[in-house]
Amino acid sequence: MQAAIAYPDPAGVADPALRRVAEKYASGERLDGNDALAMFRSPDLLSLGRLADHANRVKHGDVVTFAANQHINPTNVCILRTTCAFCSFARLPKEHGAYHYTLDEVWAEASAADNGLTREFHIVGGLDMKAGLQYYSDIFRGLKQRYPHVHIKALTAVEIAHIARIEKMSVRDVLMSLREAGLDTLPGGGAEVFGKAVRMTIAEKKLAGSDWINVHRTAHELGIRTNCTMLYGHIESLEDRVEHLTMLRDLQDETGGFLAYIPLAYHPDHNELGRELGREGTATTGFDDLRNLAVGRLFLDTIPHVKTHWIMVTPALSQTALSFGVNDLEGTVVREKVYHEAGAHTAQSMSLDEILRLIRSAGKVPAERDSLYRILRTFEPEPAGVQVAA
Ligand code: V47
């Protein structure tokens, strides 16, 4: 496939710093941290997009995947409520709006999967002292009993470390025990920005960046695949972003265990950080959203998939991102809470028809995948020249 796709001509890149990156890319040399910085600094978004699109096409051709998934958040109670300044979802145990699902409430929420279409439960919550090993083991076992074919992607590294702490167990033992109960993969949340200074400001008490990496390393050693993320668009510098991405890339080089990278756009509503920065109502810009996805594709060259989260950046921007290095669209979701608490105005779910419409009208070939990115079914692309009506 690679031979058929011509490299973008570096001579056509107006920004000299980005032109050097393009030359390096075209020579097949691996991009380094300085190149990542040049990409983040460049105003030449279209040239960056062409490079990222090339890197994406070499790996995935015209195919864009999505998963029929459902997000379930069993609890929003979180001991980090007062110290994670960017989060709008968490509540203290007695605070207004706090909830902790009983098992029956989990089954009720999961019953959307009775439609037979759902293939993945994406389950994350807060650091709730009442949500330990037993609670999540019961949830996973019960879900697997009811929906044996549904993959369970659950618990961020931060939640895994929390369970290990409250149960006085090692991270490895927690992961093994949860896998026994039905856990299949880990989502990429909780990473935020690894740099110490930023983390001290936005998530003072959260698991340190190096510990987040260690939880994922342990999962990979056990054969549990995981995703990775970066929360951008708050107080981090471009150097912080590059440091973060370098730590992700180093682990991937070591283990190969990451499936996908998902940059997460910071939403400033209803959280302390947004108020402090005076940023309420001002989400990240489309320019920076596309740039983060494109840099992810080019710099994280050994992570196979780059996913756009339409809930955070809007379906329209996610569709545009399909020409900026992205090969995967966050799926049907069903009922999203974390970003809607933080001011996201997007819908809480997306129908299969809408996903197909977005992918097709971007000139791509839609394909439903499972959680390990194996293609389940491929859909017809849009016939050439035909525009889909709104
Ligand atoms: O870790 C919290 C982020 C993450 C806000 O692995 C916020 O497939 C923006 O990781 N503004 C959880 N972001 C979600 C997550 C995720 C999402 C989709 C797919 C996958 C996957 C993982 O949400 C948290 C944090 O980084 N978050 N608050 C906020 N105000």
Side-chain angles (χ1 to χ4, degrees), residues 69-123:
N69 66 355
Q70 182 187 352
H71 286 210
I72 301 177
N73 307 116
T75 174
N76 65 353
V77 173
C78 187
I79 55 171
L80 299 182
R81 158 78 176 93
T82 53
T83 53
C84 275
F86 63 87
C87 180
S88 316
F89 174 68
R91 299 286 182 280
L92 290 170
K94 300 239 160 69
E95 194 175 347
H96 177 71
Y99 72 86
H100 172 105
Y101 283 168
T102 61
L103 292 179
D104 282 339
E105 285 169 324
V106 174
W107 316 147
E109 177 119 359
S111 65
D114 289 343
N115 65 12
L117 298 174
T118 305
R119 301 220 162 242
E120 174 185 282
F121 291 123
H122 176 163
I123 304 172

Side-chain angles (χ1 to χ4, degrees), residues 66-74 101 104-125 139-140 143 146-147 149-155 185 187 307 309-311 329-338 348-350 355 368-371:
F66 63 90
N69 66 355
Q70 182 187 352
H71 286 210
I72 301 177
N73 307 116
Y101 283 168
D104 282 339
E105 285 169 324
V106 174
W107 316 147
E109 177 119 359
S111 65
D114 289 343
N115 65 12
L117 298 174
T118 305
R119 301 220 162 242
E120 174 185 282
F121 291 123
H122 176 163
I123 304 172
V124 289
I139 289 180
F140 299 164
L143 288 175
R146 286 165 177 78
Y147 309 101
H149 62 287
V150 180
H151 179 108
I152 297 184
K153 179 175 80 183
L155 302 179
T185 53
K307 173 155 80 176
H309 199 13
W310 59 264
I311 295 230
L329 191 71
E330 176 66 0
T332 48
V333 177
V334 179
R335 191 183 311 170
E336 204 289 321
K337 291 190 187 135
V338 178
Q348 283 186 292
S349 70
M350 194 183 280
I355 291 177
E368 184 180 349
R369 62 165 175 84
D370 70 9
S371 303

Side-chain angles (χ1 to χ4, degrees), residues 86 122 153 187-190 192 227 231 262 265 267 307 312 339 342:
F86 63 87
H122 176 163
K153 179 175 80 183
E192 323 315 356
N227 287 343
L231 181 70
I262 312 123
H267 277 253
K307 173 155 80 176
M312 309 182 89
Y339 315 107

